[in-house]
Amino acid sequence: MASTAQSANTALPKGVSPLRAGTGTSFLWRRLHSLTGIVPVGLFLLEHLISNAEILNGANAYNGQVKFLTGLPFRLWLEIFGIFLPLLYHAAYGVYIWWRGENNVIDYALKGNWFYTLQRYTGVLVFAYVAFHLWTMRFTGIHLTEHYDASVWKVQTELAHPLMIAVYAVGMLAACWHFGYGLFLFAAKWGIVTGEKAQKRAQVLGIALGLLLTLLGLVTIYSFVTRPAQEKNPLWEQPVQEQSQLMAPAATVR
Amino acid sequence: MANKTVQFKIKRQDGPNSQPYWDEFEIPYRLGLNVISLFMEVALNPVTREGKQTTPVNYDSNCLEEVCGSCAMLINGKARMACSALVDNLEQPIQIEPFSKFPVVRDLQVDRSVLFENLKAVQAWVPIDGTYDLGSGPRVLPQVQEQAYRLSQCMSCSCCMEACPQFNESTGFVGAATIAQARLFNMHPTGKVLKEERLAALMGDGGIQECGYAQNCVEVCPKEIPLTKSISDVGGQVMKKAVLDFFRV
Ligand code: SF4
Ligand code: SF4
Ligand code: FES
């Protein structure tokens, strides 16, 4: 027989600890994570997708929408407390949740378990994508708060490479899926949708909404990519040399 | 059918701190074998497939009809009851392991006392202890009885916890069974008196918030207890309490 030798001085294995009834703050943090996913982060996603779709009404409409948004009073505060901080919290706590879960989708290849797993992976993917997207579109390059009329140009320049289009498409799908399924999770966890049949329905609805939003996003991307390249801004007072330099990439846009 | 056999292997462990090892067995096929009867065959003739003498396998079982909850183990990787796992329905060689998230006592026997601790933590009972006869209890509507009956069938097998990705040492999650039992006793007209305390307990660390809705629990539960419905239901009760507490406490 194999080892009967017991390591005498090791303590007995403990296993999972029992409920720490009524103590700790994780309830608050976890529910806050759940809430921030819907309001404001999810709401912002909706707004963002709808605003982006303005491109379907033409370049001027799009630039105008950017003008409206960037011209909102307290814009910076809205950004910080309405988007950045909640987003950062949702992302950071989400990674913590992901790290503590013990994925077993291989052993239990069940539908709900796949969705559970997907919610974690799409979350991490969206985190990476949003960080990248913020970097290229919000924190570097021409600042659209001052130059809203360069908005279409900036997006078209961003999407100039097919690889970029792929990155955006994948980011779009991941974000919309995460949000759509997240709506179902929210409804289930907060006791809004409780019944067995009702939850199946809510799950389908959540996923359908996610896919619908993805479609909207993809149509938007398509519209950006296929329309004639916009000039950065003909009205700008720019040194001639710099302007021609800056115009160069726009000229190569398909 | 001549010479038909059943092949299976068992992950064994001699004590809580010893190293696990596998024993492989092969026994003649009989109609209607279940996994417990395989262990009985081994006990009759504790010889492995390679002809090595070994000991009978240690395991928990009692009712042999899927009502006591003691014979839970991993069969071909999934949490289920050994007594209702029919050999005819299993892929061979059948792989049998003890639960992975509970401390092994010996072989397939594990220590599931964490569930008992959790049930105590949410006071999963109706408090009727008294020094005098309290008379008959309040009426329970048949509609409520119907819901309660399903929940009352829980046999504390812990399959729902073993299969749950959130039930692990880093979360210390309470698991679906306890939440369903909290719902059961919150539903009871007399048990309700402890409702607030149960909900407060479930808002502690490792409480209901740790559920990530993988829904494995409800898929593996041998008693088909509506676990996800219960988690949502209690999730709603807990949120209501959280909001009310915020304004009233
Ligand atoms: S729904 Fe998933 S995470 Fe929640 S208790 Fe069940 S198995 Fe665990
Ligand atoms: S809820 Fe189901 S799986 Fe969980 S302990 Fe009870 S009977 Fe077992
Ligand atoms: S022996 Fe009772 S459930 Fe299997």
Side-chain angles (χ1 to χ4, degrees):
Chain A
M1 180 167 313
S3 75
T4 29
Q6 300 211 358
S7 22
N9 51 357
T10 44
L12 291 182
K14 280 207 323 284
V16 179
S17 58
L19 173 67
R20 279 78 72 208
T23 60
T25 51
S26 65
F27 180 80
L28 194 72
W29 296 119
R30 181 69 184 245
R31 283 292 196 253
L32 188 64
H33 172 260
S34 180
L35 182 66
T36 51
I38 309 297
V39 186
V41 177
L43 217 62
F44 170 69
L45 177 73
L46 272 181
E47 177 277 309
H48 195 31
L49 289 173
I50 292 168
S51 290
N52 279 345
E54 275 292 330
I55 190 67
L56 299 173
N57 291 334
N60 287 338
Y62 186 81
N63 286 345
Q65 178 70 8
V66 175
K67 182 183 184 188
F68 163 70
L69 288 172
T70 52
L72 286 175
F74 306 109
R75 190 213 83 237
L76 188 64
W77 298 108
L78 281 176
E79 270 189 317
I80 293 176
F81 291 102
I83 307 173
F84 294 147
L85 286 182
L87 188 64
L88 198 65
Y89 175 73
H90 189 78
Y93 199 83
V95 170
Y96 173 66
I97 292 173
W98 179 53
W99 173 64
R100 296 202 312 161
E102 197 174 290
N103 206 316
N104 58 12
V105 76
I106 304 299
D107 283 327
Y108 300 93
L110 304 162
K111 203 173 69 189
N113 207 14
W114 272 111
F115 290 148
Y116 165 91
T117 309
L118 261 180
Q119 196 66 1
R120 272 122 192 97
Y121 283 97
T122 50
V124 181
L125 202 75
V126 174
F127 189 10
Y129 164 75
V130 167
F132 166 78
H133 177 57
L134 277 176
W135 177 252
T136 57
M137 298 306 277
R138 170 65 178 78
F139 293 113
T140 60
I142 286 178
H143 207 313
L144 299 185
T145 41
E146 285 123 44
H147 301 296
Y148 68 87
D149 40 10
S151 303
V152 175
W153 174 84
K154 193 171 182 181
V155 178
Q156 284 186 326
T157 314
E158 172 90 344
L159 294 176
H161 197 283
L163 202 67
M164 266 314 215
I165 299 175
V167 167
Y168 270 77
V170 170
M172 190 73 76
L173 176 63
C176 294
W177 178 280
H178 192 85
F179 173 60
Y181 197 72
L183 271 178
F184 156 69
L185 288 178
F186 179 83
K189 287 180 183 176
W190 290 57
I192 298 166
V193 179
T194 58
E196 281 150 283
K197 272 195 205 133
Q199 285 193 345
K200 284 223 172 71
R201 249 186 336 250
Q203 196 175 34
V204 172
L205 272 176
I207 292 174
L209 180 72
L211 294 179
L212 204 72
L213 290 177
T214 309
L215 192 69
L216 176 68
L218 293 182
V219 168
T220 304
I221 292 179
Y222 178 80
S223 172
F224 269 113
V225 173
T226 50
R227 80 182 39 245
Q230 285 290 304
E231 299 217 336
K232 197 169 166 192
N233 184 351
L235 308 175
W236 277 4
E237 311 272 325
Q238 286 277 341
V240 179
Q241 195 199 352
E242 196 193 323
Q243 193 169 16
S244 64
Q245 235 174 31
L246 287 165
M247 300 264 284
T252 63
V253 168
R254 272 156 289 261
Chain B
M1 212 182 283
N3 294 335
K4 208 176 158 194
T5 60
V6 181
Q7 296 183 10
F8 55 102
K9 51 184 199 169
I10 303 177
K11 191 178 183 186
R12 308 188 59 176
Q13 186 171 327
D14 296 335
N17 282 317
S18 38
Q19 286 301 311
Y21 59 96
W22 290 88
D23 266 350
E24 288 182 33
F25 300 94
E26 185 164 2
I27 62 153
Y29 174 83
R30 264 192 292 128
L31 199 66
L33 282 173
N34 65 32
V35 169
I36 298 280
S37 47
L38 298 181
F39 304 150
M40 292 173 167
E41 291 294 327
V42 171
L44 281 177
N45 180 27
V47 177
T48 68
R49 203 169 155 214
E50 304 91 60
K52 195 170 57 105
Q53 191 70 31
T54 181
T55 50
V57 184
N58 216 51
Y59 61 95
D60 279 323
S61 81
N62 191 355
C63 69
L64 302 185
E65 54 178 0
E66 204 182 70
V67 289
C68 77
S70 55
C71 66
M73 55 192 70
L74 294 177
I75 298 169
N76 283 348
K78 290 198 175 49
R80 57 183 298 182
M81 309 313 287
C83 66
S84 58
L86 302 179
V87 166
D88 286 335
N89 301 337
L90 294 169
E91 206 179 301
Q92 291 187 30
I94 305 165
Q95 187 171 311
I96 304 161
E97 298 160 81
F99 269 180
S100 65
K101 297 179 181 174
F102 299 81
V104 172
V105 177
R106 183 174 168 182
D107 290 343
L108 301 169
Q109 196 181 22
V110 293
D111 177 2
R112 281 172 284 172
S113 50
V114 60
L115 176 51
F116 191 53
E117 292 306 318
N118 286 338
L119 290 172
K120 284 196 282 183
V122 301
Q123 308 188 63
W125 52 73
V126 177
I128 47 162
D129 288 346
T131 52
Y132 60 97
D133 184 359
L134 296 171
S136 56
R139 243 165 224 260
V140 180
L141 295 176
Q143 295 93 317
V144 179
Q145 284 174 21
E146 252 168 58
Q147 292 192 25
Y149 179 63
R150 288 184 75 186
L151 302 174
S152 71
Q153 283 178 299
C154 173
M155 53 185 183
S156 299
C157 64
S158 309
C159 284
C160 55
M161 294 147 86
E162 170 71 21
C164 171
Q166 291 293 110
F167 180 79
N168 59 50
E169 286 179 30
S170 56
T171 59
F173 177 40
V174 63
T178 307
I179 299 172
Q181 293 310 297
R183 171 163 173 246
L184 170 64
F185 291 102
N186 283 354
M187 208 180 252
H188 189 280
T190 311
K192 219 192 259 172
V193 69
L194 293 173
K195 182 173 175 181
E196 293 294 309
E197 286 168 57
R198 289 193 193 101
L199 297 180
L202 283 175
M203 288 157 81
D205 281 353
I208 191 167
Q209 68 276 9
E210 290 291 352
C211 167
Y213 264 82
Q215 301 163 47
N216 286 356
C217 50
V218 73
E219 297 274 355
V220 299
C221 175
K223 306 308 283 187
E224 296 181 9
I225 291 175
L227 292 171
T228 40
K229 175 174 169 50
S230 299
I231 294 169
S232 291
D233 208 89
V234 178
Q237 294 176 18
V238 156
M239 279 321 296
K240 202 165 144 199
K241 177 177 167 58
V243 172
L244 288 182
D245 282 358
F246 187 74
F247 290 108
R248 295 192 188 162
V249 175

